[in-house]
Every structure is written in structure tokens, then in C-alpha cells.
Amino acid sequence: MVCLGNPGIKYSNTRHNVGFHAADALEKRCGVRLNQARFHALTGFVSLGGQRVLVLKPQTMMNLSGQSVQEAARFYKIPPQRILVIFDDISLDVGRLRVRPGGSAGGHNGVKDIIARLGSSDFPRIKIGVGAKPHPDYDLAAWVLGRPTQAEWKQLEEVILRGLDAAECIIAEGTEKAMSCYNG
């Protein structure tokens, strides 16, 4: 499982780091630490959905997330279909999530890099809604690197926990089951 974000305190509470917040919540839920530096990521193993799961928090910048994923996938011989990615999505309202079996990057540069480095877009993903930029002229980078309001964080914390439930469902019962249970 790959949880996307940008490393460093400067980015820690931004919309773009929702994936990192999912990894932090997973640490609490499973009672583990993702603190082994490997594959240009902070890594650790958790038990989720009855499986032993490698979790990555890439420590490259978001746009280079595929480097970490590619290295870990090559080392462990993991096919793309068994790589689950959790990340922020501006096309979903705050508090919404969407499970997908694959597809395009949808404009997300971290996902775009993963697709390019794996040579495949056929990997399951959990998109966590962070909301659209407030108006069309608003700078997209400023929006995703901005900080949500307290009310938005409350919604994000709840949807992140649902996202972890969806991840467990994907691992235990498959993406189709998770889509039917968590989308909508």
C-alpha cells in the first residue's frame, strides 16, 4: 500500500498530504511504526485484511512518487494490480472517497509518475476528496499545498478512517466489493 504526500514539515498539514495522514492513522490502528527508510520511503509492514502488507510513505516529492513504488515493486516482485495507492483528489468534495480498480491519473502528478514508472495504470486506488479550488483562476498548486479549515480537517479525518476500512476490504475481498461498499 502506498500513501502519497510530500515529505517535510512545510507540507505536513496540506491537502496534498492526505495520503500521509492515512498512513499515520494506519500506524495508530495497527500499532506499528512506518520508520524503516527503504526504497526512498518510510516503510513498515502491517497486518490488514488477513494479509501482511508493505506500506510506503514515499520521501521523494509528490511528483516523483513512482520512484519509490517502482523500487519496492521490483524488489518484492509485486505486480501493479497488487499495489494499492491512497491519495488526495480535488474532483471529490471534502469528506468523500472513491475506490477505483485503475484508470488515468486524473491530473494527479504523483499518480502520473507511478503509472509512468510501473508502465501500467491497472492498480487499485482510494481517492480522498479534498475539494475543488474555490474558483477557476485559483492556482492549483496553491490549493493542494494549502491547509484545510478545522471543519474540513474533521471531515478529512473521518473519511481517512473510512479509506482505511476500504483498503482492508480491497485486500480481503477485492476492489469490486470495496467499490460497492464505499463508493457513493
Side-chain angles (χ1 to χ4, degrees):
M1 180 168 23
V2 182
C3 301
L4 297 185
N6 279 311
I9 194 77
K10 175 180 176 182
Y11 302 104
S12 65
N13 290 317
T14 65
R15 291 176 182 87
H16 225 16
N17 271 33
V18 164
F20 276 14
H21 285 279
D24 297 344
L26 187 63
E27 284 181 312
K28 288 179 187 167
R29 180 179 282 190
C30 296
V32 299
R33 298 285 301 147
L34 304 176
N35 59 5
Q36 184 178 11
R38 208 165 170 206
F39 311 119
H40 292 93
L42 293 177
T43 70
F45 285 94
V46 300
S47 179
L48 200 62
Q51 301 290 322
R52 185 171 186 245
V53 177
L54 172 67
V55 181
L56 300 175
K57 282 175 71 173
Q59 296 300 291
T60 58
M61 295 307 286
M62 176 71 80
N63 296 357
L64 300 174
S65 297
Q67 179 180 1
S68 172
V69 178
Q70 180 183 39
E71 289 176 18
R74 185 179 298 140
F75 183 84
Y76 287 108
K77 298 176 178 49
I78 303 169
Q81 299 79 11
R82 295 186 49 90
I83 298 171
L84 171 59
V85 182
I86 301 176
F87 59 96
D88 60 291
D89 189 322
I90 62 165
S91 67
L92 295 173
D93 291 337
V94 175
R96 308 275 300 171
L97 78 90
R98 184 160 296 136
V99 176
R100 289 285 182 250
S104 75
H108 194 288
N109 289 329
V111 175
K112 189 181 300 181
D113 192 54
I114 293 170
I115 291 170
R117 290 179 187 255
L118 292 179
S120 175
S121 62
D122 296 331
F123 52 86
R125 52 200 77 182
I126 299 172
K127 303 174 180 191
I128 305 289
V130 295
K133 55 187 186 172
H135 55 79
D137 296 335
Y138 202 95
D139 180 64
L140 181 58
W143 178 251
V144 297
L145 296 176
R147 288 171 167 64
T149 65
Q150 278 190 324
E152 288 171 329
W153 265 122
K154 183 165 178 46
Q155 290 179 289
L156 286 169
E157 288 170 352
E158 292 170 7
V159 75
I160 285 168
L161 294 177
R162 283 199 331 268
L164 294 182
D165 295 339
E168 189 162 12
C169 184
I170 290 169
I171 292 163
E173 301 180 68
T175 306
E176 294 298 321
K177 176 70 171 179
M179 288 171 61
S180 70
C181 292
Y182 294 94
N183 289 356

